[in-house]
Amino acid sequence: MRAETTTNTPPGNSLGRTAARGVSWLLLQSLAGKVSGVAGNLVLGWLLVPEAFGLVGLAFSVSIFVSLVSQAGLREVLTQRHARPHLWVTPGFWLSVLTGLTGMALLLGAAPIVARLYGEPQLVGLLGVLACTTLMHNLGVAADAQLHGQMRFGLLGSFGVVNVVGKTLLTIALAFLGFGAYSIVLPGLVFATITAVVYWWHAPVRPAWSLQRSRWKYLVGSSVFVFGATGLYTLMTQSGSIFLGQRERE
């Protein structure tokens, strides 16, 4: 990896036109997600047993709290500082790698405990896949922030459509092949990896090998408020699922 300082801001586009195009792509991505989600759930309801959905729901409910630790608002902070990417991409990348590894280790360590708590040994493997997905997602955070900061909505939106539709098709294919609950979590790992590769391919600035740890404190300090707000929201929306899942097994 090497540091580059070129920019790729779309020339000749007014802010209003760029924003309107961004909204159009977001609407298209949302529509594609809704349609493919409904169609995919109908097919999966025929291919998978109800217990598979319950296991995946529990695994996601547990992993989302670890995702907060691994992401910690870094993408939002890096997006805000997009005007000087050569200063923040490298420390942002390595900090996201560190938090991704931390989240991965937490999930792998918690997996046996959670599986025993709920009496579901299969949760170990499911949480293991989600742990790897957490790391792969973090590898693309700094590139994602650059593309958002430069308002590359065409790329982000078109790939977002490919992402949601591709996940649905891969999930259906894996379910048809007999992967069971894993057919729901494996596509996330596959497309998190593909996303990181695609985003870094298009990112104007690549991270250097030096860690630049002296700048980490500025990113961590700015991300605390985002982390706190997201954490409270997640606690309110997901804690009930975990509690009810435990009560159902008592």
Side-chain angles (χ1 to χ4, degrees):
M1 291 178 288
R2 57 189 178 87
E4 299 177 0
T5 58
T6 58
T7 59
N8 194 21
T9 304
N13 285 340
S14 67
L15 181 61
R17 183 180 303 175
T18 303
R21 187 168 59 223
V23 171
S24 299
W25 276 113
L26 289 174
L27 288 175
L28 179 59
Q29 180 179 343
S30 178
L31 179 62
K34 297 295 184 183
V35 172
S36 62
V38 171
N41 286 333
L42 289 175
V43 178
L44 291 176
W46 176 60
L47 292 174
L48 299 177
V49 296
E51 288 77 10
F53 292 99
L55 284 172
V56 173
L58 282 173
F60 277 125
S61 296
V62 172
S63 68
I64 195 170
F65 288 98
V66 176
S67 297
L68 289 175
V69 176
S70 64
Q71 296 173 20
L74 277 175
R75 194 194 77 171
E76 289 76 9
V77 173
L78 291 171
T79 301
Q80 185 184 33
R81 303 188 180 193
H82 71 277
R84 306 176 73 184
H86 58 286
L87 292 180
W88 301 110
V89 167
T90 294
F93 172 77
W94 289 113
L95 185 56
S96 64
V97 170
L98 176 62
T99 56
L101 288 171
T102 301
M104 181 180 180
L106 288 174
L107 268 182
L108 291 177
I113 301 173
V114 173
R116 183 167 183 175
L117 178 65
Y118 289 102
E120 297 286 356
Q122 198 173 0
L123 282 172
V124 175
L126 294 174
L127 288 172
V129 174
L130 293 176
C132 296
T133 304
T134 295
L135 176 60
M136 295 311 303
H137 172 80
N138 273 40
L139 291 180
V141 163
D144 186 3
Q146 288 187 70
L147 297 176
H148 274 88
Q150 292 192 325
M151 296 186 289
R152 299 283 300 277
F153 297 125
L155 170 64
L156 293 167
S158 58
F159 187 74
V161 172
V162 172
N163 202 320
V164 295
V165 175
K167 281 183 182 178
T168 300
L169 294 177
L170 181 57
T171 300
I172 293 173
L174 292 175
F176 182 78
L177 293 174
F179 279 76
Y182 286 93
S183 62
I184 302 178
V185 297
L186 283 173
L189 174 58
V190 172
F191 278 90
T193 304
I194 295 174
T195 298
V197 173
V198 171
Y199 282 5
W200 277 117
W201 180 266
H202 291 278
V205 179
R206 309 285 173 79
W209 285 108
S210 59
L211 301 182
Q212 298 184 9
R213 287 180 294 178
S214 61
R215 295 176 182 166
W216 287 19
K217 58 184 177 182
Y218 302 107
L219 295 175
V220 172
S222 299
S223 65
V224 168
F225 297 103
V226 179
F227 173 78
T230 307
L232 289 175
Y233 176 79
T234 303
L235 182 63
M236 290 187 296
T237 56
Q238 297 296 324
S239 57
S241 299
I242 297 177
F243 177 73
L244 290 175
Q246 173 63 16
R247 289 293 301 272
E248 289 175 359
R249 284 161 174 75
E250 290 179 352

